[in-house]
Each structure stands twice: as structure tokens, then as C-alpha cells.
Amino acid sequence: MTTYVVRVWMPDRPGALGAVASRIGAVRGDLVGIDILERGAGRVIDELIVELPDESLVDLLTTEVSQVDGVDVEDIRPATEAVSDPRLDALETAALLVEETAVDGLLAALAAHARHDLEAEWAAVIDLDAPVPLAAVGAPPPSAWLGAFVHGSRLSPAVTAGECGPDEVAWASLPIADLAIVLGRRGRPFRARERRQLSALARVADVRWASLVNPPAFVRSAGL
């Protein structure tokens, strides 16, 4: 069996997911996971984890699912590694951030794990006063572009809150540290759940940054 991630738009109404699952079964596929990425205006965007007995069935799967009334296939791709639970991934990443004992390690971990968890092509943590990458993985755009993008995005409350934003770029601020993390990937838009997840990880990292830069008195006295 080969595992695929199928991103679909469907009507937000009872029976829609069941109809899609029925079409998956019709091509001998097995629906083994569902992740709700976004919902609103009567539509829902889901990522479905589907196992197929033969890769030649991918085109047929796309055709069958697309024939369900109101359903569109946005993207279908092979799962690059063992299928994981995005909520568990987020908790494990948060735990790793809290366990970091140095600022450099914290920022490097935030960039690396956010990129992994959200399947981004690149990630960078930048200083908002001077857009210099403090940690980066992949091949992010030039520093000047990253700084201009974040400063422009901060002018929009909706973008800052993670409710919307450019399809292929997501970002979140670390307000205590006056930093930001920016992620990018091509061909697959970031959705609301992913943007909220990135924002939550940034908040965890921000609080940990504050505790490392100015540790509480009991930590200082214990020499931790």
C-alpha cells in the first residue's frame, strides 16, 4: 500500500465527507486519517490520508473524488514519511522548545521543527529591528525581503492574527523577543489551522526566550 495526502475542498454539510470516503473506497483506497485545515463560508478544507494498493490509481482517485457534488481536489501527493498526527507533532515541538537551554538552540529548533511540522521548504527566524536571519533552514529569500514582508504584514490585524495571508508564506511574531518566524513553500497554500499552529509555537518560543534572557530569580539562585 502507498500512502497519499489528498487535500480537498468540500461543502461543510452532513454527508459530504461520507460521499468522498465512498469514492475512495470505490477505487480500493483506504481512508486512514483526516485533518481539518480550514472551514468557513459553507466550505471546509481537509487533508485526507489515503492508502492505495497501486500508484496507477492516483488519477482515478482524483477523478472519482472530484465527481462528488461541490468537491474539488486541491492537491494530492505521496506521504514523504510515516504519517503523523499534526497535533501530536505540535505538542512534541513545544516540549522541545521548552527544553532548550540556550537562545541560539531555541531559535534553531523553532526554525527546524516549524519547517518540518508544516512541511515548508524553508524557514527563517529574523530580528525585526534589523532583518538579519538568526536561524534558517532551507533557502529563504533575502533578508531585506523577509523584513519588508513581515513589516508590511504587521499592518493588517487579520494577517497578524493568522486568519489570512499570502498563500505560500506564513509567519508569526515573537513579540517579547521582537523577532518573527517566516515559512515558505510552493504550490500548496498555508491554511488557517497551519497558521494558528505556527503562531502557537512562536508564542511558546517567545516565552522560553524571555526565561533564558532574563531567568526568574529562583532559576538564577539555583544556577539552572
Side-chain angles (χ1 to χ4, degrees):
M1 300 290 281
T2 304
T3 304
Y4 294 87
V5 182
V6 185
R7 181 176 288 195
V8 296
W9 292 60
M10 66 180 71
D12 192 2
R13 64 169 184 255
L17 180 58
V20 170
S22 177
R23 293 301 180 108
I24 292 171
V27 298
R28 296 184 289 138
D30 188 12
L31 177 60
V32 298
I34 302 170
D35 185 20
I36 300 173
L37 297 180
E38 193 171 308
R39 65 190 308 176
R43 297 273 277 176
V44 60
I45 304 172
D46 288 351
E47 277 197 342
L48 311 178
I49 309 301
V50 177
E51 292 182 344
L52 290 175
D54 191 323
E55 64 181 16
S56 66
L57 296 171
V58 171
D59 289 342
L60 181 59
L61 171 67
T62 302
T63 300
E64 284 288 326
V65 171
S66 298
Q67 288 178 355
V68 178
D69 185 38
V71 173
D72 298 297
V73 177
E74 178 182 287
D75 177 70
I76 181 168
R77 63 191 189 279
T80 56
E81 55 187 67
V83 176
S84 59
D85 183 334
R87 290 164 179 79
L88 180 57
D89 286 346
L91 285 173
E92 290 178 340
T93 295
L96 289 170
L97 295 176
V98 171
E99 291 167 355
E100 287 293 337
T101 58
V103 168
D104 288 349
L106 171 67
L107 300 184
L110 175 61
H113 288 283
R115 178 201 187 192
H116 173 270
D117 293 353
L118 298 177
E119 298 181 284
E121 295 177 13
W122 55 264
V125 179
I126 63 170
D127 186 331
L128 294 179
D129 290 331
V132 177
L134 303 178
V137 287
S143 300
W145 186 93
L146 292 171
F149 168 77
V150 172
H151 281 291
S153 298
R154 293 173 80 185
L155 300 176
S156 168
V159 174
T160 301
E163 297 171 2
C164 60
D167 282 351
E168 297 184 343
V169 183
W171 76 283
S173 65
L174 288 70
I176 301 172
D178 202 26
L179 306 176
I181 179 169
V182 190
L183 307 181
R185 68 186 182 205
R186 290 169 294 179
R188 187 156 44 91
F190 288 100
R191 296 301 178 188
R193 195 271 295 158
E194 296 172 300
R195 294 179 189 277
R196 290 196 300 269
Q197 180 174 334
L198 179 61
S199 179
L201 292 178
R203 293 200 305 271
V204 172
D206 200 27
V207 173
R208 183 56 180 154
W209 179 92
S211 70
L212 291 172
V213 171
N214 185 25
F218 76 88
V219 174
R220 292 195 298 269
S221 64
L224 300 177

